[in-house]
Amino acid sequence: VIRAAARAFDEHGFHNTSLDDLAAALHVTKPTLYYYVGSKEELLFECFRAGVDRIQATFDEADRMQTPARERLVVVARGYAEAVASEFGWCMVRVEHQDLSPALSGPIQALKVEIDRRLRQLLADGARDGSLAVRDPRMAAFALAGALNWIAHWYREDYPGEGRLTPAEVADAFVAEFLQGLLPRQAP
Amino acid sequence: VIRAAARAFDEHGFHNTSLDDLAAALHVTKPTLYYYVGSKEELLFECFRAGVDRIQATFDEADRMQTPARERLVVVARGYAEAVASEFGWCMVRVEHQDLSPALSGPIQALKVEIDRRLRQLLADGARDGSLAVRDPRMAAFALAGALNWIAHWYREDYPGEGRLTPAEVADAFVAEFLQGLLPRQAP
Amino acid sequence: VIRAAARAFDEHGFHNTSLDDLAAALHVTKPTLYYYVGSKEELLFECFRAGVDRIQATFDEADRMQTPARERLVVVARGYAEAVASEFGWCMVRVEHQDLSPALSGPIQALKVEIDRRLRQLLADGARDGSLAVRDPRMAAFALAGALNWIAHWYREDYPGEGRLTPAEVADAFVAEFLQGLLPRQAP
Amino acid sequence: VIRAAARAFDEHGFHNTSLDDLAAALHVTKPTLYYYVGSKEELLFECFRAGVDRIQATFDEADRMQTPARERLVVVARGYAEAVASEFGWCMVRVEHQDLSPALSGPIQALKVEIDRRLRQLLADGARDGSLAVRDPRMAAFALAGALNWIAHWYREDYPGEGRLTPAEVADAFVAEFLQGLLPRQAP
DNA sequence: TATGAATGAGTATTCATTCAT
DNA sequence: GATGAATGAATACTCATTCAT
């Protein structure tokens, strides 16, 4: 139901998707849409939330694990990548606060901050339990979030190069890169 | 002249910036705008190009250096971060190909691919000259580009936490994180 | 049942009252409304008629009296004022024939003419029986009807000034003003 | 320019006049309308003000006269009747505050109160200078205003009866009726 | 009796773009 | 170089009305 909107926004962009288009894609008429949803921006909001809920769920799952932060990071990254590569990815990553009234822009901002907080918390946990060597948790979180969010931009299109990876594989590759760093290790 | 457009797009978003607004911000009238620029999407294109030119220049500069790829990477990352944190950052990172006619969407896509290619090349160089230990250059490039591009999303607003960093400092922090990885090193 | 519509029209205006609003106010759903009433304009028509019936009843009552026209005028004015100050006042006074299809607009126009005719008749009676000194019965009827109708505009709101009068008192004041005129009487 | 709107509102009612109709009547297109006027309700507001200005001007004129209030009342009534019978009459008399945003509804209410105040003032002046015998200035003002306002309802249509009067003649008839009252004078 | 779901026909408003001056 | 005026096309949103259940 709301998934169709996410797909349309993903395909044409929020502003280039008229509710007429959307209604047509759902084989109903515009007023029918309004019967189920209050406004276009509410639709966008719901798409956003659907995606974020998935990420939150991943964090929740990780929180329930009794493993070092490093392993929890892998779980989170995979869930994050899957959410961002899903049909809701565009909405999560591209919403612009200017497209939303303050009433909805506020909650969205809050959710974004929450995600950022939990990611930073996870890195800090890693620093504490010794499983991660994070220099600046704030910057590390930004870098990691950026890398993951960006998946929404390139994943759907046939990204250049051969071999298509699943979102989880992409996440694994990213995490591997982040964990081991690009610096060559000297042989002992 | 074109910088005003970038600032307006950055502040209100492309679709929420009418040419009336833009003209008003420049203290001229709409037809005057059309005297200087062909269309709204051309404006967007120019903003995009202005930002990308800066990144290309950084790559050019790095190419002229005779240093290992690792050091060139630092130079590139700094220039990249500065470009993305500049007023053109939004345009570079947020342009949606659906907002542009094929005539302009093509070149933009080409420029994006070019940037990606050069970044990947740089990482491959590092693998060859032994200064970088890159597993999957394609994924590493995506991760790095994502982290850097994302700066455009959070840098302008007062990002949470104390201490405001310059874009170059952010780039350094990112590169440090990427180079050394998050995995704790055993003491020798 | 139909009274709720009158109140809603009075409060929000005919065009600003959607049947959704009305249904909500009655704690039912829109189709339920349609079970009881054929259309929105029929609703308006019924409200109009409810008010006019009351005025007609007053005229009937006056007609049954065997008193001079002057006293019957007082009775009519009171009933008229009460009708116009009632919840149906707005509908009676504000209906616009453009809001109604010809099928309903005709009867309404006929009722209006009928009221006008009876009022004029009453004034003419007064001229005949010597209890009223009416110059131009047509204009006098218009003036009187206008003064009384206008009550619907100002009565509901707390009209300026102290002391709230009942509709009948307002009618008495109006009639007194009309009967005695504004011209000072010379002392005998 | 704005007069066309008044005529259209008068003929079809505010809600039944679409801006398309209006634009068509002016032989322009809808956006051209918006070039000159901010919104539909602003249009209504201007119509209202145009009419009220005329009434205010009449009051101003009367204020400059050095005659007893009774004579000034005749002047005011004529001007009032002409304003109300003009193309702006409908707008003045029928505007509903629910059709206007608070921003415009406030000023309109203020103007209405102002008119009421001046009329009451005039009657009070008459009581003071002995040229008028007003019992309750408030009620008398309401009655007079109602009678005059109501002209807007019946004047345009071919009102029943023969002999078409000018608005000034109607005003004279009304004032005569009001001044002399309906009560027969006993012969001395 | 009552309703959930659906819709056709509007309606105000916006905006990129043009053109005569 | 610059602008006032104009417009075609689109778009979000509303509402009276219907109908199967």
Side-chain angles (χ1 to χ4, degrees):
Chain A
V1 191
I2 212 168
R3 200 164 275 156
R7 265 192 291 266
F9 292 158
D10 178 40
E11 193 170 345
H12 308 294
F14 178 66
H15 288 282
N16 297 318
T17 302
S18 82
L19 291 192
D20 273 313
D21 299 342
L22 223 130
L26 285 166
H27 301 296
V28 294
T29 58
K30 212 171 6 172
T32 305
L33 266 185
Y34 275 92
Y35 183 77
Y36 292 102
V37 76
S39 69
K40 195 184 177 185
E41 71 167 9
E42 188 186 315
L43 214 47
L44 180 55
F45 179 76
E46 294 300 338
C47 291
F48 178 84
R49 188 158 57 185
V52 165
D53 278 353
R54 192 150 163 191
I55 295 183
Q56 300 273 31
T58 306
F59 271 110
D60 293 344
E61 181 191 350
D63 283 351
R64 281 191 301 272
M65 295 169 64
Q66 303 290 344
T67 56
R70 190 198 313 160
E71 291 176 34
R72 289 179 355 235
L73 180 60
V74 174
V75 171
V76 164
R78 280 187 186 158
Y80 201 121
E82 274 162 3
V84 153
S86 79
E87 50 210 355
F88 300 119
W90 186 94
C91 295
M92 260 187 296
V93 169
R94 304 286 278 241
V95 244
E96 312 197 25
H97 63 279
Q98 305 102 340
D99 293 340
L100 294 166
S101 67
L104 295 183
S105 169
I108 281 196
Q109 191 56 28
L111 287 170
K112 282 181 173 177
V113 168
E114 167 90 357
I115 297 289
D116 183 46
R117 189 189 58 73
R118 295 185 85 169
L119 184 55
R120 231 182 288 176
Q121 176 69 44
L122 182 57
L123 294 178
D125 284 355
R128 217 175 13 244
D129 72 14
S131 66
L132 293 174
V134 52
R135 270 161 226 44
D136 179 343
R138 189 172 46 146
M139 286 301 128
F142 275 142
L144 193 49
L148 290 169
N149 285 330
W150 202 248
I151 294 174
H153 281 72
W154 54 265
Y155 188 73
R156 69 184 134 61
E157 320 154 17
D158 309 298
Y159 50 90
E162 76 295 353
R164 187 171 184 73
L165 281 66
T166 67
E169 286 167 345
V170 173
D172 286 348
F174 278 17
V175 169
E177 221 72 65
F178 266 89
L179 286 183
Q180 313 240 357
L182 298 174
L183 216 54
R185 308 278 155 254
Q186 296 94 351
Chain B
V1 190
I2 212 167
R3 198 164 276 156
R7 265 193 291 265
F9 292 159
D10 177 40
E11 195 169 347
H12 309 294
F14 178 66
H15 288 282
N16 296 319
T17 302
S18 81
L19 291 193
D20 273 311
D21 298 341
L22 218 103
L26 285 166
H27 302 295
V28 294
T29 57
K30 217 170 6 172
T32 305
L33 229 58
Y34 274 90
Y35 183 80
Y36 291 104
V37 75
S39 71
K40 195 187 180 186
E41 70 168 7
E42 189 186 315
L43 215 48
L44 180 57
F45 180 75
E46 294 301 337
C47 290
F48 178 84
R49 188 158 58 186
V52 166
D53 278 353
R54 192 149 162 191
I55 295 184
Q56 298 276 29
T58 305
F59 271 111
D60 292 344
E61 180 190 351
D63 282 353
R64 280 191 302 271
M65 292 170 66
Q66 301 292 340
T67 55
R70 190 200 311 160
E71 292 175 33
R72 289 182 351 239
L73 180 61
V74 174
V75 171
V76 163
R78 281 185 185 161
Y80 201 120
E82 273 162 3
V84 154
S86 78
E87 49 211 355
F88 300 117
W90 186 93
C91 295
M92 259 187 296
V93 169
R94 305 285 279 239
V95 244
E96 312 196 27
H97 63 278
Q98 305 101 341
D99 294 340
L100 295 164
S101 66
L104 295 183
S105 169
I108 281 196
Q109 191 56 27
L111 286 170
K112 282 180 173 177
V113 168
E114 167 89 357
I115 297 288
D116 183 48
R117 190 191 56 74
R118 295 185 84 168
L119 184 56
R120 229 181 288 175
Q121 176 67 47
L122 182 56
L123 294 177
D125 284 356
R128 216 172 17 244
D129 71 14
S131 66
L132 294 173
V134 54
R135 264 164 250 5
D136 180 341
R138 190 172 43 147
M139 285 300 127
F142 275 142
L144 193 50
L148 290 169
N149 285 330
W150 202 249
I151 294 174
H153 281 72
W154 54 266
Y155 188 71
R156 68 183 135 55
E157 322 153 17
D158 309 299
Y159 50 89
E162 77 296 350
R164 188 169 184 74
L165 279 66
T166 67
E169 287 168 343
V170 172
D172 285 349
F174 278 16
V175 169
E177 221 74 63
F178 267 90
L179 286 183
Q180 312 240 359
L182 297 175
L183 216 53
R185 307 280 156 252
Q186 297 91 353
Chain C
V1 192
I2 212 168
R3 199 164 274 158
R7 266 194 290 266
F9 292 160
D10 178 40
E11 194 171 346
H12 308 294
F14 178 66
H15 288 281
N16 297 319
T17 302
S18 81
L19 292 193
D20 274 311
D21 299 340
L22 220 105
L26 286 166
H27 301 294
V28 295
T29 58
K30 218 168 9 168
T32 305
L33 264 181
Y34 274 91
Y35 183 80
Y36 291 103
V37 75
S39 71
K40 194 186 180 187
E41 71 168 8
E42 188 185 315
L43 215 49
L44 180 57
F45 179 77
E46 293 302 335
C47 290
F48 178 84
R49 186 157 59 185
V52 165
D53 278 353
R54 190 146 164 196
I55 295 183
Q56 299 275 29
T58 306
F59 271 112
D60 292 344
E61 181 191 351
D63 282 353
R64 280 190 304 271
M65 293 169 65
Q66 302 291 340
T67 55
R70 190 200 311 161
E71 292 176 32
R72 280 161 21 220
L73 180 61
V74 174
V75 170
V76 163
R78 281 185 185 160
Y80 201 119
E82 274 162 2
V84 154
S86 78
E87 50 210 356
F88 300 117
W90 185 93
C91 295
M92 260 187 296
V93 169
R94 306 285 278 240
V95 245
E96 312 195 26
H97 64 278
Q98 305 101 343
D99 293 341
L100 295 164
S101 66
L104 295 182
S105 169
I108 281 195
Q109 190 55 28
L111 286 170
K112 282 180 173 178
V113 168
E114 167 90 356
I115 297 287
D116 184 48
R117 190 191 57 73
R118 294 184 85 168
L119 184 55
R120 228 182 289 176
Q121 176 68 44
L122 181 57
L123 294 177
D125 285 356
R128 215 171 21 243
D129 71 15
S131 66
L132 293 173
V134 54
R135 261 164 252 5
D136 180 342
R138 190 174 42 149
M139 285 302 126
F142 274 142
L144 193 49
L148 290 169
N149 285 329
W150 202 248
I151 294 174
H153 281 72
W154 54 266
Y155 189 72
R156 68 180 135 56
E157 320 154 18
D158 309 299
Y159 50 88
E162 76 294 352
R164 187 169 184 76
L165 281 66
T166 67
E169 287 167 344
V170 172
D172 285 348
F174 278 16
V175 169
E177 221 73 64
F178 266 91
L179 287 183
Q180 313 237 0
L182 297 174
L183 217 53
R185 307 281 155 249
Q186 295 92 352
Chain D
V1 189
I2 211 167
R3 200 164 275 155
R7 265 193 292 266
F9 293 158
D10 178 41
E11 193 170 347
H12 308 293
F14 178 66
H15 288 282
N16 297 318
T17 302
S18 83
L19 291 192
D20 272 314
D21 299 341
L22 223 130
L26 285 166
H27 301 295
V28 294
T29 57
K30 218 175 356 174
T32 304
L33 267 185
Y34 274 91
Y35 183 77
Y36 291 103
V37 74
S39 70
K40 195 185 179 186
E41 72 168 7
E42 188 186 314
L43 215 47
L44 179 57
F45 179 77
E46 294 300 336
C47 291
F48 178 85
R49 187 159 58 185
V52 165
D53 278 353
R54 190 149 163 191
I55 296 183
Q56 299 274 30
T58 305
F59 271 111
D60 292 343
E61 181 190 350
D63 283 351
R64 281 191 301 272
M65 294 171 65
Q66 302 290 344
T67 56
R70 190 200 312 160
E71 292 176 34
R72 281 163 19 221
L73 180 60
V74 175
V75 171
V76 164
R78 280 186 186 159
Y80 201 120
E82 274 163 3
V84 153
S86 79
E87 50 210 354
F88 300 117
W90 186 92
C91 295
M92 259 187 296
V93 170
R94 305 285 279 242
V95 244
E96 311 196 26
H97 64 280
Q98 305 103 338
D99 293 340
L100 294 165
S101 66
L104 294 183
S105 170
I108 281 196
Q109 191 56 28
L111 286 170
K112 283 180 173 177
V113 168
E114 167 89 357
I115 298 288
D116 184 46
R117 189 191 58 74
R118 294 185 85 169
L119 183 55
R120 231 182 286 177
Q121 176 69 45
L122 182 56
L123 294 177
D125 284 355
R128 215 171 20 242
D129 70 16
S131 65
L132 294 173
V134 52
R135 268 160 229 43
D136 180 342
R138 191 172 43 146
M139 285 301 129
F142 274 142
L144 193 49
L148 290 169
N149 285 330
W150 201 250
I151 296 174
H153 281 73
W154 52 265
Y155 190 72
R156 74 186 129 62
E157 319 155 18
D158 311 299
Y159 50 90
E162 76 295 351
R164 186 169 184 73
L165 280 66
T166 67
E169 287 167 344
V170 173
D172 285 347
F174 277 16
V175 169
E177 221 73 64
F178 266 90
L179 285 183
Q180 313 240 357
L182 298 174
L183 216 54
R185 307 282 154 248
Q186 298 92 350

